[in-house]
Amino acid sequence: MSLVDATTTSAWADLERLHAAYRPDLRGAFAADPERAHTLTLDCADLHVDLSKNLIDADIVAALVALADEVDLAGRRDAMLRGDRINVTEGRSVLHTALRRPRTDELVVDGQDVVKDVHETLDKIYAFADKVRSGEWKGVSGRAIRTVVNIGIGGSDLGPVMVYEALKPYVQDGLECRFVSNIDPTDVAETTADLDPETTLFIVASKTFTTLETLTNARMAREWLWRSLVDAGAIEDSEGDKTDAVAKHFVAVSTALDKVEAFGIDPTNAFGFWDWVGGRYSVDSAIGTSVCVAIGPDHFRDFLAGFHAVDEHFATQPWERNVPALMGLLNVWYVNFFKACSHAVLPYAQYLHRFAAYLQQLTMESNGKGVRMDGSPVTTETGEIFWGEPGTNGQHAFYQLIHQGTRLIPCDFIAVATPAHPTKDGGQDVHELFLANFFAQTKALAFGKTADEVRAEGVKEELVTAKVFTGNRPTTSIMAPALTPAVVGQLIALYEHITFVQGVVWGIDSFDQWGVELGKQLALQIAPAIGGDQGALDAQDGSTRALIEWYRAHRR
């Protein structure tokens, strides 16, 4: 499949011409076209997506769709879905979509039916989850598990913790999940501080079982477990009792069964996944085991079905009606033509408070690249800084910059119609008050307030300019009936495919992450210098050496 440089296409030239002539005027656009909101609002599974407050018109949309065709977005999408090795620098297929395909499907890649493999693993996870949830799985002292601690980092942490937080209303009463990721020993210490070791189960998530942070934290957790069980009188301080304790209080998400066993975990309690699953695309694989335990297999199946519904939409809808494709193309429009550097994701749903953090890895690790798939330099800007906070918290923090700052910051607003906790404050429905802010913010960003409107409010002339809102700040509104497991899956899949679309246009490999490697390698070289190895210290640059010396002088 040939690699097309998007900047050489006729569609790109059309977009440059359209951008040069474009004068943002959302007030005028809505006045001129009473059907604009209807025309530019689309449904994708349960997601109701309003694109009408974006800086686009029919000609711009047509040019973006033409760009998708000229870079062969359909061909690239289909290659991903059928398991071609589109992760070119690692020679791997990219099949996170296979993780949520129905059991009745078949997808043979390299002679192996990957859908069959996925469901065999899911069945094993579901059986394990049922044992923990029912109390059949017991700790070393015969008590049921009450707390599951997931130990991972990157995709092995950000996905599970985000989904767990998003779906807390679905968590079984009496069960709790906690998450450890940071190698800072404070993370393990604070997470375990108030836990009962007899009712705690650790899930160690590392595909190769060699991830430095994860294995360090796992060993610290194991030491905590042994020490706490001995102190509680639950086990003797003997190798046999310690071995038994690890077998009953640790499971793994890994394919390195020899390393799992060497750690003390029974290999039968290891749940695997495949090299065609990237970490940031893995929450719907065995990496989501903690979530499955918390919400149960039935809700986890709904979660996977939500992903699949968006996959089907992306795979079948024409670009003009294809929500992930259009949102990805809009991001290209803003990054490459308006020179927008960042993108805010603003969920008006408190349970999605970790969604922006999750998207930071998904989008920036995927598309933060400076070379194309063929190794040549990129020909235009790539990637965006994704960020955000939930609801009205952000309004009282950074919305000032979005409304009146000099930088264009496209925003995605997310809300649900039915809250998990309907509440009234006197006669006021609090969720309706909350959503009034959601609707008001997108309206204010789109239409602003003119100087004449400010003056009409009686504002002193010297203050008028300070209170003018220019408007024409682009937003997309995404709404769903409720924050169900299926809807959370749909939101994740939506942004997975948005990210993919941008990567295709930019000609980059969205599925490798070599940029995370250098710092990790250098940390291993620097660690001996911190520990007192003079030769390793002497090998450092002047700044690093001075910082290490300062640290050693002040460490107590």
Side-chain angles (χ1 to χ4, degrees):
M1 188 178 296
S2 61
L3 181 62
V4 177
D5 181 346
T7 65
T8 67
T9 63
S10 58
W12 194 274
D14 288 343
L15 287 166
E16 289 180 324
R17 175 181 54 79
L18 289 165
H19 177 260
Y22 186 70
R23 299 294 177 267
D25 180 14
L26 287 174
R27 287 193 183 205
F30 276 87
D33 180 8
E35 293 299 308
R36 180 180 174 91
H38 174 74
T39 303
L40 291 172
T41 298
L42 304 169
D43 290 326
C44 173
D46 295 315
L47 305 179
H48 185 69
V49 182
D50 180 0
L51 303 174
S52 66
K53 295 189 183 79
N54 280 282
L55 304 182
I56 51 175
D57 57 27
D59 290 339
I60 293 167
V61 171
L64 289 171
V65 167
L67 179 64
D69 289 335
E70 289 199 65
V71 298
D72 193 20
L73 178 59
R76 296 281 175 183
R77 174 200 61 197
D78 295 347
M80 175 179 70
L81 295 176
R82 67 175 174 256
D84 290 6
R85 297 180 186 277
I86 66 168
N87 180 350
V88 293
T89 69
E90 295 180 294
R92 292 176 178 174
S93 300
V94 176
L95 280 172
H96 49 278
T97 54
L99 296 169
R100 52 264 196 159
R101 289 179 66 154
R103 190 184 297 270
T104 52
D105 280 6
E106 180 182 82
L107 178 62
V108 177
V109 177
D110 296 332
Q112 191 71 23
D113 184 351
V114 298
V115 177
K116 179 174 178 290
D117 292 345
V118 164
H119 281 276
E120 286 177 355
T121 298
L122 283 173
D123 288 343
K124 186 177 177 182
I125 293 168
Y126 295 156
F128 167 72
D130 282 336
K131 285 181 179 179
V132 176
R133 291 166 62 82
S134 68
E136 180 183 345
W137 183 291
K138 291 180 168 53
V140 72
S141 61
R143 296 170 60 190
I145 298 301
R146 312 304 293 169
T147 307
V148 175
V149 179
N150 186 88
I151 303 176
I153 198 165
S156 299
D157 170 75
L158 287 164
V161 71
M162 182 276 287
V163 175
Y164 175 76
E165 292 292 325
L167 296 178
K168 270 193 172 175
Y170 294 86
V171 174
Q172 178 173 293
D173 288 344
L175 265 180
E176 177 194 11
C177 286
R178 299 188 184 185
F179 299 85
V180 171
S181 58
N182 199 337
I183 198 173
D184 184 335
T186 302
D187 202 1
V188 169
E190 287 292 333
T191 301
T192 58
D194 62 343
L195 292 184
D196 182 343
E198 297 178 51
T199 61
T200 299
L201 177 71
F202 294 94
I203 299 176
V204 184
S206 171
K207 184 188 295 187
T208 62
F209 224 69
T210 59
T211 309
L212 173 66
E213 297 90 344
T214 299
L215 269 295
T216 300
N217 283 330
R219 288 189 294 268
M220 288 194 291
R222 184 176 60 185
E223 287 294 333
W224 171 85
L225 179 74
W226 285 337
R227 182 180 67 254
S228 300
L229 288 174
V230 170
D231 290 347
I235 64 171
E236 297 293 329
D237 190 5
S238 68
E239 288 305 311
D241 277 11
K242 287 181 176 180
T243 299
D244 190 35
V246 172
K248 289 183 169 65
H249 291 268
F250 276 82
V251 300
V253 176
S254 178
T255 53
L257 297 185
D258 56 336
K259 295 182 177 66
V260 167
E261 186 171 21
F263 185 88
I265 298 173
D266 186 339
T268 61
N269 297 324
F271 310 102
F273 54 116
W274 304 270
D275 67 2
W276 42 257
V277 183
R280 57 193 176 276
Y281 297 90
S282 66
V283 68
D284 45 342
S285 73
I287 290 296
T289 297
S290 58
V291 175
C292 186
V293 171
I295 67 175
D298 287 343
H299 289 315
F300 199 80
R301 290 184 186 97
D302 291 341
F303 176 59
L304 298 181
F307 279 93
H308 184 64
V310 174
D311 294 344
E312 287 292 289
H313 175 98
F314 183 54
T316 60
Q317 291 298 306
W319 301 140
E320 296 86 348
R321 308 293 298 172
N322 194 306
V323 173
L326 287 175
M327 289 183 69
L329 292 166
L330 277 173
N331 289 358
V332 170
W333 173 237
Y334 293 128
V335 169
N336 296 127
F337 297 90
F338 288 84
K339 307 307 178 185
C341 296
S342 77
H343 194 117
V345 179
L346 308 168
Y348 279 65
Q350 181 61 29
Y351 285 122
L352 287 174
H353 70 103
R354 293 293 292 165
F355 192 54
Y358 173 77
L359 292 182
Q360 286 172 351
Q361 185 193 24
L362 172 64
T363 60
M364 293 194 282
E365 193 166 271
S366 293
N367 287 340
K369 311 289 172 61
V371 296
R372 288 156 38 87
M373 283 186 282
D374 61 2
S376 63
V378 296
T379 55
T380 189
E381 300 86 358
T382 64
E384 300 162 274
I385 301 166
F386 269 72
W387 58 285
E389 282 288 327
T392 53
N393 291 2
Q395 291 178 201
H396 289 265
F398 51 76
Y399 276 40
Q400 170 67 45
L401 176 69
I402 299 173
H403 277 285
Q404 289 186 310
T406 59
R407 302 179 187 278
L408 182 78
I409 303 173
C411 302
D412 297 344
F413 284 75
I414 304 171
V416 298
T418 303
H421 305 287
T423 304
K424 288 196 172 183
D425 176 21
Q428 173 68 61
D429 184 308
V430 178
H431 188 64
E432 291 182 359
L433 177 62
F434 187 40
L435 288 201
N437 283 272
F438 171 88
F439 298 126
Q441 290 296 331
T442 62
K443 181 174 182 177
L445 286 164
F447 306 121
K449 182 186 285 187
T450 66
D452 287 342
E453 289 169 337
V454 174
R455 291 187 184 99
E457 295 175 347
V459 174
K460 294 179 181 179
E461 188 61 31
E462 62 266 27
L463 297 178
V464 167
T465 54
K467 296 193 174 187
V468 167
F469 290 75
T470 60
N472 298 314
R473 310 282 178 137
T475 65
T476 295
S477 296
I478 303 169
M479 301 196 74
L483 197 62
T484 62
V487 164
V488 173
Q490 290 166 24
L491 285 169
I492 297 171
L494 173 65
Y495 281 90
E496 286 179 347
H497 296 316
I498 289 169
T499 302
F500 173 77
V501 169
Q502 291 176 261
V504 169
V505 172
W506 291 327
I508 58 180
D509 184 345
S510 297
F511 302 101
D512 63 12
Q513 57 281 328
W514 298 108
V516 307
E517 294 299 318
L518 179 58
K520 290 161 61 175
Q521 293 168 2
L522 291 177
L524 294 175
Q525 297 172 20
I526 291 171
I530 300 171
D533 184 323
Q534 190 61 44
L537 182 63
D538 292 341
Q540 305 307 317
D541 64 274
S543 172
T544 303
R545 185 168 58 252
L547 289 168
I548 292 171
E549 288 170 342
W550 187 96
Y551 161 78
R552 288 177 56 79
H554 289 80
R555 171 66 188 266
R556 295 194 301 272

